[in-house]
Amino acid sequence: MVHEISFYDQVNKNFDRAAEFINKPKDLLEQIKRCNAVYYISFPLKRDDGSIETIEAWRVEHSQHKLPTKGGIRYAPNASQDEVMALAALMSYKCAVVDVPFGGAKGGIKIDRRNYSENELQRLTRRYTVELMRKNFIGPGLDVPAPDFGTGAQEMSWIADTYMTMSTGELNALACVTGKPVPQGGLRGRTEATGRGVFYGVREACDVAADMEALGLSTGLEGKRVVVQGFGNVGSYAAKFLTEEGGAKLIAVAEWNGAIYSESGIDVQALLEYRQSRPDGSILGFPGTETIANSTDALELECDILVPAALENQITEDNAPRIRAKIIAEAANGPVTSKASEMLHDRGVLILPDNYLNAGGVIVSYFEWIKNLSHVRFGRLGRRFDEQTNRRLLDAVTKASGHEFDADEELFLTRGADELALVRSGLEDTMIDAYRQIHGIWSQHRQRGADLRTAAFVCAIEKVALCYEEMGIFP
Ligand code: NAD
């Protein structure tokens, strides 16, 4: 195994590479790069068997140039301060790339959630929330967590409930966290948002004819062979939309205990149901697939699009020479190390960078936060009015033209937008717009060796720098 630099240093290396394309003062760039606040917590957890375990946790606010800061909470056995700092920094750049008005933050608790009962998880999540409150590291206008690796709507619900219990009368208390269940102030479309955003981003990239030609691929997603690593929230939804809406073919899925492969394609819904039916939650043995015992071997399969959607540091200097994918879609944060990224770029592989591609979660979290602050569901005021207006217009067109619309067409043309439709539309628009921004920057700097990741960093750094300049802190 080749030794590579830490995750946080890698993020900063990518930053420094981008800084070469930016004409800004060094001290301003240094301010942008540094983590503004790092909070380390340890607290006791009483296990169900009566024993006491010391839990280690972190919350890092990387950049408070915009408030609140925003970023998920990860439950993982290898969580560390370095990792949380790296992920918090990525959040700042991600929010800037997709024009979401937040600073970046991240949280982590060092546990393997599979070893804890639901009651234990609830106790430690509530305690973590109290610890965040004690130091003002959570609040609708301060710092707003969300789900990440190893957490989901259930944990967000415990966080919201704890925060509300302890902040009696705070009108906007529900906006202290996003990714909540819908009945508890959550937003329709949030759960699948990151995977859906990955689909929109990959689709945009595959629609650029010149880029596809350079890779020896046809334009469009249809028929492209996809390998996904990590079949959790992000990976499974990315696979679902890439295949069902994009027409791509899922040929392999890698999980922590092995991978499955089928050249004729894997049905995402059937695989989800199969996994749910298994007591150990494994995907191995899914009918019609071969098993690959060593999970990481699946990354080296010949395919058009490789979607790492598990953890960081999966493609390193070590295995990069054996990667045969033409496009790597970084659904996870930091799955390709900075050195591996350089090596793959030199070989002509197109990497769609994490700080753009997996921004769907934070984009839709932003919509959820707005919904909580405005105390009204999206679409509630206008939907029926729009439907009636559309109905009258359609009747007028039918009368004037004599053309009769069939029932499906009528339904489509007259409907008013509900919350889910608005969320999807806002997410799609933001992902398309951001891709065009970073692709434009890439086109300017491509001749000088920049890749798409560098372009995304340039895009982010320039926006954050502008914010500091407007504050009058830097000349
Ligand atoms: P998750 O916990 O829902 O899923 C992770 C999946 O990866 C699980 O199925 C797990 O079994 C699998 N896994 C764990 N170790 C593995 C290994 N060594 N090899 C293959 N598979 C492995 O987590 P998630 O929310 O889908 O997050 C995945 C990645 O996406 C993380 O890097 C996270 O930071 C990033 N991300 C998540 C969100 C979000 O909204 N959840 C947003 C942006 C980025």
Side-chain angles (χ1 to χ4, degrees), residues 74 94 147-150 190 194 229-234 254-256 275 295 309-311 331-333 358 361:
R74 169 175 289 204
K94 197 178 299 179
D148 191 69
F149 186 94
R190 169 61 184 91
T194 308
Q229 183 202 36
F231 203 59
N233 174 287
V234 178
E255 259 292 325
W256 60 277
R275 187 173 64 175
S295 177
L311 283 166
N333 284 307
N358 67 35

Side-chain angles (χ1 to χ4, degrees), residues 72 74-75 87 91 94 106 113-114 146-152 190-191 193-195 228-236 254-258 275 281 295-296 308-312 314 330-335 354 357-362 365:
R74 169 175 289 204
Y75 289 1
L87 292 165
M91 282 306 297
K94 197 178 299 179
K106 204 80 180 189
R113 64 168 297 140
R114 286 173 297 194
D148 191 69
F149 186 94
T151 58
R190 169 61 184 91
T191 309
T194 308
V228 171
Q229 183 202 36
F231 203 59
N233 174 287
V234 178
S236 64
E255 259 292 325
W256 60 277
N257 58 344
R275 187 173 64 175
S295 177
T296 48
L311 283 166
E312 60 269 18
Q314 298 302 299
E330 292 189 333
N333 284 307
D354 49 6
L357 195 69
N358 67 35
V362 76
S365 275

Side-chain angles (χ1 to χ4, degrees), residues 379-407:
R380 178 163 178 182
L381 298 184
R383 189 169 70 97
R384 189 154 299 274
F385 180 82
D386 289 344
E387 268 175 18
Q388 284 166 352
T389 308
N390 294 344
R391 159 75 45 208
R392 286 199 189 129
L393 264 172
L394 201 67
D395 287 348
V397 170
T398 304
K399 208 167 154 192
S401 66
H403 177 80
E404 289 290 335
F405 294 91
D406 67 33

